[in-house]
């Protein structure tokens, strides 16, 4: 006969183990994290004062296995940075060298991007310096310039030469002006892969979106908006799910979202652009986006494409 105390102790330990395991999953908001890698294409160093240690802990808590750090440009005080208002990507983010050094210190977890204020005289030289060091992306481009300006076209030409994508922050009246003309750049630079991100990009999944000053629409979505058409019509267009704008696009009309994820399953990339320090819970938009992708993806295959496989292929990781 088994010792009742022994049975009781084993039962307690077993139950405790289950509870602890459940707590770990709850904290991350992710099931099976260890066996399912995630690539986050959109994070920043020193984001609103967050330390490097906090950033590393945040990414690990979300279950992210590879993170691309997107640098800010050099502090500048011209019109493209709104006389300095947009320095640090308007979020006190640090620049190329900081991202490069952190990625070197943690080579299995981080990669670094390349960026610069586009209308500075040596913008392309600064970007190229980090492309030569191995940066797999230019961006994020978050500056008050026209998307087809000569300054931006010099960056597109550089991206074409180095075969790297350009990630663009679209925000009406503030960053990357003239979204309606962007298709002309897609046609002029068909070998450059462009990644769309932010408020105006995600608002325009809806064919009914007319008032461009509305940056976070909550209404139901009619397929066929400008963003939807760009993803369908141009092979060199991709979508970055990061930030509150990406999460809003996922949640505002979940029936539409399932069709959208299915339709563009090879074009959608997971990014967080999340500034909290916990990596879980109601303040962590990045982990909420992962959870939404998992819940709303029409299949496990599509979920894995969005969270990992599309980025692995695009960035040749």
């Amino acid at each position: 006969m088994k010792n009742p105390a022994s049975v009781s102790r084993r039962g307690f330990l077993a139950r405790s183990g289950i509870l602890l395991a459940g707590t770990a999953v709850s904290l991350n908001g992710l099931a099976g994290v260890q066996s399912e890698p995630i690539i986050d294409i959109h994070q920043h160093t020193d984001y609103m004062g967050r330390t490097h240690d906090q950033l590393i802990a945040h990414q690990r808590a979300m279950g992210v296995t590879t993170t691309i750090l997107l640098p800010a440009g050099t502090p500048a005080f011209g019109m493209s940075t709104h006389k300095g208002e947009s320095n640090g990507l308007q979020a006190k983010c640090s620049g190329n060298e900081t991202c490069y050094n952190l990625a070197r210190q943690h080579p299995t977890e981080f990669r670094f991007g390349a960026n610069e204020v586009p209308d500075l005289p040596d913008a392309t030289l600064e970007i190229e310096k980090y492309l030569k060091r191995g940066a797999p992306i230019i961006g994020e481009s978050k500056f008050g310039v026209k998307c087809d300006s000569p300054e931006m076209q010099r960056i597109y030409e550089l991206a074409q030469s180095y075969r790297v994508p350009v990630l663009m922050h679209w925000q009406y009246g503030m960053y990357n002006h003239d979204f309606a003309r962007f298709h002309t750049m897609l046609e002029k630079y068909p070998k450059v892969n462009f990644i769309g991100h932010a408020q105006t990009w995600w608002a325009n999944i809806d064919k009914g979106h007319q008032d461009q000053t509305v940056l976070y629409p909550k209404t139901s979505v009619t397929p066929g908006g400008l963003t939807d058409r760009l993803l369908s019509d141009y092979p060199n267009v991709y979508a970055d799910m990061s930030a509150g704008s990406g999460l809003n696009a996922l949640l505002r009309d979940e029936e539409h979202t399932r069709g959208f994820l299915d339709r563009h399953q090879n074009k959608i990339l997971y990014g967080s652009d999340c500034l909290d320090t916990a990596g879980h819970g109601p303040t962590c938009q990045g982990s909420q986006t992962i959870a939404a992708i998992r819940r709303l993806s029409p299949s496990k295959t599509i979920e894995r494409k969005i969270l990992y496989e599309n980025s692995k292929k695009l960035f040749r990781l």
Side-chain angles (χ1 to χ4, degrees):
M1 174 181 279
K2 295 179 180 178
N3 185 326
S6 175
V7 173
S8 176
R9 182 173 181 273
R10 275 202 300 271
F12 170 77
L13 290 173
R15 288 192 299 274
S16 299
I18 291 169
L19 288 171
L20 287 172
T23 301
V25 171
S26 174
L27 284 174
N28 288 333
L30 307 166
V33 160
Q34 299 304 318
S35 61
E36 294 185 344
I38 296 174
I39 296 173
D40 181 350
I41 72 160
H42 193 137
Q43 256 298 3
H44 301 293
T45 50
D46 302 306
Y47 202 166
M48 298 301 290
R50 180 175 56 189
T51 68
H52 292 349
D53 286 343
Q54 288 172 328
L55 168 61
I56 293 166
H58 178 273
Q59 297 305 98
R60 291 173 181 173
M62 289 202 304
V64 171
T65 47
T66 302
T67 300
I68 298 179
L69 302 170
L70 301 179
T74 302
F77 297 88
M79 295 306 294
S80 63
T81 62
H82 309 94
K83 298 183 179 180
E85 179 185 343
S86 302
N87 285 339
L89 303 176
Q90 207 177 11
K92 302 180 182 178
C93 303
S94 46
N96 289 306
E97 194 69 10
T98 299
C99 293
Y100 171 69
N101 287 331
L102 185 59
R104 285 188 66 193
Q105 292 165 20
H106 301 273
T108 63
E109 294 182 79
F110 292 100
R111 303 290 187 275
F112 59 94
N115 200 13
E116 183 56 292
V117 180
D119 54 356
L120 290 181
D122 295 330
T124 54
L125 292 176
E126 172 68 7
I127 294 171
E128 188 171 25
K129 174 182 175 181
Y130 292 91
L131 293 176
K132 287 179 176 178
R133 292 180 175 184
I137 186 173
I138 296 174
E140 114 191 62
S141 177
K142 188 179 179 181
F143 305 101
V145 294
K146 293 182 179 181
C147 68
D148 55 357
S149 65
E151 295 87 354
M152 289 305 295
Q153 290 197 53
R154 285 194 284 271
I155 290 175
Y156 305 155
E157 290 164 2
L158 187 61
Q160 182 171 263
S161 297
Y162 280 85
R163 297 175 58 229
V164 297
V166 179
L167 193 151
M168 303 183 71
H169 180 116
W170 295 98
Q171 184 175 339
Y172 178 78
M174 192 72 174
Y175 301 118
N176 287 315
H177 306 308
D178 301 322
F179 184 44
R181 290 212 307 268
F182 183 47
H183 68 96
T184 63
M185 296 294 94
L186 300 174
E187 293 162 2
K188 185 172 181 179
Y189 300 97
K191 294 182 180 180
V192 178
N193 291 314
F194 293 89
I195 304 170
H197 153 70
Q199 296 96 323
T200 296
W201 174 263
W202 285 114
N204 281 283
I205 58 176
D206 181 11
K207 188 176 182 180
H209 187 69
Q210 299 298 324
D211 185 356
Q212 296 298 323
T213 65
V214 177
L215 299 179
Y216 295 93
K218 302 296 185 181
T219 55
S220 60
V221 178
T222 301
L226 179 53
T227 296
D228 199 1
R229 297 199 309 273
L230 292 176
L231 286 165
S232 295
D233 295 346
Y234 293 92
N236 57 331
V237 176
Y238 292 80
D240 166 13
M241 287 282 6
S242 69
S245 55
L247 182 59
N248 181 67
L250 286 169
L251 299 181
R252 63 183 282 201
D253 183 342
E254 294 187 1
E255 182 178 354
H256 168 269
T257 295
R258 292 182 177 91
F260 184 86
L261 298 183
D262 185 41
R263 189 159 61 252
H264 303 303
Q265 60 183 273
N266 297 317
K267 296 290 203 74
I268 301 172
L269 315 169
Y270 171 70
S272 66
D273 195 12
C274 184
L275 58 76
D276 90 314
T277 58
H280 61 86
T283 64
C284 182
Q285 158 266 309
S287 64
Q288 292 176 51
T289 301
I290 292 172
I293 290 168
R294 286 188 156 140
R295 181 169 60 86
L296 297 171
S297 290
S299 70
K300 185 69 176 179
T301 297
I302 293 174
E303 174 208 302
R304 294 308 303 150
K305 284 183 178 181
I306 295 170
L307 292 178
Y308 179 69
E309 292 169 8
N310 292 342
S311 295
K312 180 182 180 184
K313 180 178 180 181
L314 180 63
F315 296 105
R316 303 189 295 277
L317 296 176

